[in-house]
Amino acid sequence: MANIAARYARALFETGVAEGKGNEVRYGKLLESFVASVSDFGDFRSFLSAPQISRDEKKSFLSTVFSDPEDSRFLEFLKVIVDKGRLDMIGLISLDYQGLVLKSQNVLEAVIESAFPLDDALVERIAETFRKKTGASTVRATVRVVKDLVGGVRVSIGSAIYDGTARSGLDRLLSSMNNQGFQHGN
């Protein structure tokens, strides 16, 4: 399903890029607002997910919501989503889309995990270190406290994990000792 969402996100993103005028960012904002509206308004969500309401009725309703001529491409995108029965994936599509926007702006998102809360200055230093290491224009950091890490930090950027935790060091030491024939309790 994630691949399907990614294909829809890429199609809309590439349409926005091809059109120019920052439409790739604008479409992302429209998509985010649409997802938020579907999430926030139960009646809207119920209408769009109701099997007894025809696809034509749903598309007609969306045409009234997105009636601005500048939204016509976005509206066509939503109509395709309705026709293909993929409205249930709109949240995933939006997440993939936001990732494409960030990638196009050379912005990376990092998750910094630590055993203890980190102050803003340290988070900034870590983000700056990884900005330089990766060549990104910006690294946006989210911090998570994970008690079993003992100490140090683990930074995840995309599928890359940079593990500088005490827990990781202890695990490596234990593994090395086991590989050399040491047994617990010796």
Side-chain angles (χ1 to χ4, degrees):
M1 277 243 209
N3 287 340
I4 295 168
R7 284 197 313 251
Y8 282 105
R10 180 160 300 287
L12 181 61
F13 181 78
E14 288 175 356
T15 297
V17 169
E19 291 173 355
K21 301 181 284 183
N23 278 343
E24 70 278 7
V25 173
R26 191 170 147 285
Y27 289 160
K29 289 178 182 176
L30 284 170
L31 190 54
E32 271 186 286
S33 295
F34 181 75
V35 169
S37 295
V38 169
S39 177
D40 292 346
F41 301 106
D43 291 344
F44 188 39
R45 180 178 51 253
S46 295
F47 175 81
L48 291 174
S49 62
Q52 67 272 23
I53 298 174
S54 74
R55 290 178 176 171
D56 286 338
E57 289 174 295
K58 291 174 186 179
K59 291 188 302 187
S60 177
F61 173 75
L62 290 172
S63 293
T64 62
V65 173
F66 295 99
S67 58
D68 186 330
E70 288 198 19
D71 296 341
S72 64
R73 290 277 194 178
F74 184 74
L75 174 60
E76 291 307 312
F77 170 78
L78 290 178
K79 286 180 178 180
V80 168
I81 297 291
V82 168
D83 281 338
K84 299 293 183 179
R86 302 288 189 196
L87 270 173
D88 60 326
M89 297 179 71
I90 200 72
L92 289 173
I93 294 168
S94 181
L95 285 174
D96 284 336
Y97 194 97
Q98 298 315 316
L100 291 169
V101 170
L102 291 175
K103 185 176 179 182
S104 75
Q105 297 170 341
N106 198 21
V107 174
L108 296 177
E109 291 188 305
V111 176
I112 302 171
E113 296 175 321
S114 170
F116 306 99
L118 303 175
D119 64 37
D120 291 344
L122 181 55
V123 171
E124 284 300 317
R125 285 199 326 261
I126 293 169
E128 179 60 16
T129 298
F130 281 94
R131 185 195 67 73
K132 289 176 182 175
K133 182 178 186 80
T134 61
S137 61
T138 305
V139 172
R140 292 191 335 195
T142 302
V143 178
R144 267 195 235 147
V145 175
V146 179
K147 299 280 187 216
D148 10 335
L149 292 182
V150 184
V153 295
R154 178 171 48 213
V155 179
S156 303
I157 299 175
S159 61
I161 298 173
Y162 305 89
D163 198 339
T165 60
R167 170 88 266 150
S168 170
L170 291 171
D171 289 344
R172 284 191 303 272
L173 178 62
L174 181 60
S175 176
S176 172
M177 290 172 63
N178 286 338
N179 288 340
Q180 295 176 9
F182 290 98
Q183 299 297 315
H184 296 296
N186 284 347

